[in-house]
Amino acid sequence: MNTPSNIQKLASAGTSVWLDDLSRPRLTSGELASLIDTKGIVGVTTNPAIFAAAMSQRDAYDEQLHQLAAAGIAADEAVFAMAVKDVQDACDVLAGVHEQTGGVDGWVSLEVDPRLAHDAAGTVAQAKELAAQVNRANLMIKIPATTECLPAISEVLAAGISVNVTLIFSVERYEQVMEAFIEGIAAAEKAGQDISKIHSVASFFVSRVDSDIDPQLAEKGAEAAALQGKAALANARLAYASYLDKLANNPRWQEFVGRGANTQRPLWASTSVKNPQYPDTLYVTELAGPNTVNTMPEATLDATIDHGETTGDQLSGRASESLEVFSALTSAGIDLPEVWQRLETEGVQKFEQAWNELLATLREQLAKAK
């Protein structure tokens, strides 16, 4: 592996780099394997929007579409048949990384149907089904951090399935996620699962926070506008402080670690910068730190390789200044709880919309392929 120097610096700070994208052309062309060898990625995440974009490249999926159409498979089943094939192949490509890192990295994430975001029982059932279908040791099932799905996180972990918890926006919800994680590992251990084989990450969304709050600040005068671009980093750093408190430095959790458990790592998601006035590596270099993951689209990855130089740990010891940012935001009239709820609702809706559009497209393609 010929890892670029800026990715090596991220790794030295404690951050694993995962690619936030997957498509069949990346797999069949050998491009994913090349990204591992030349750009230092050590994992892959997917979501409904990513699969919607990937499967719009119909030529790459034509052969399987014809097979599915001939078998009379409906779009709802076909989409997962296609996604499972891509995830299996990606898991195989990353199997070497998974082995070399002792299971820390080399993971590929596959999300449950986003329409199940408020259905715990349906989420658990599909998570188990997808894990069985993919049947790879380095698969993580993505489950949204909605209130309804918190019990599903615990139950899926208890079944011995590794979990990527997604759509986390607030520290408060993140703390609930960590509790659900601990409960899940405890239940897995009680059920006789090998907890050393179970891994988890908590995907904390970053750029969408600034995208929501910055326009509000712009309307509140110069003093408030000076806070633009600070909310997302402060939020993530406070989340990291909570991670240290609830997991890394928590005696209760460390007892599980002593019996072989793996700590759930914070994962920074939505790390592409939406405001062109900000450095395009802002949510990478400023969120480097021990035992974290940063999942990024290839454009952000390339920017990081080119000029995103990391200067060590940017997370530890930053809680006080981040609390000051939050205090200033509140004083400026930003209703943070309202922001968190809106971002979660919108996040679920965006993934549902992408999924529904994908299903509509697949129905047309399956009909034509018969």
Side-chain angles (χ1 to χ4, degrees), residues 44-58:
V44 167
T45 53
T46 67
N47 62 45
I50 285 172
F51 275 121
M55 292 177 188
S56 67
Q57 306 174 57
R58 181 178 169 182

Side-chain angles (χ1 to χ4, degrees), residues 73-86:
I73 303 298
D76 289 66
E77 294 180 56
V79 66
F80 275 115
M82 295 160 71
V84 163
K85 176 68 168 66
D86 286 353

Side-chain angles (χ1 to χ4, degrees), residues 58 61-71 366 368-370:
R58 181 178 169 182
Y61 294 89
D62 266 351
E63 182 179 351
Q64 190 175 12
L65 272 169
H66 283 292
Q67 293 171 351
L68 293 166
L366 288 166
K368 292 177 182 177
K370 287 182 178 178

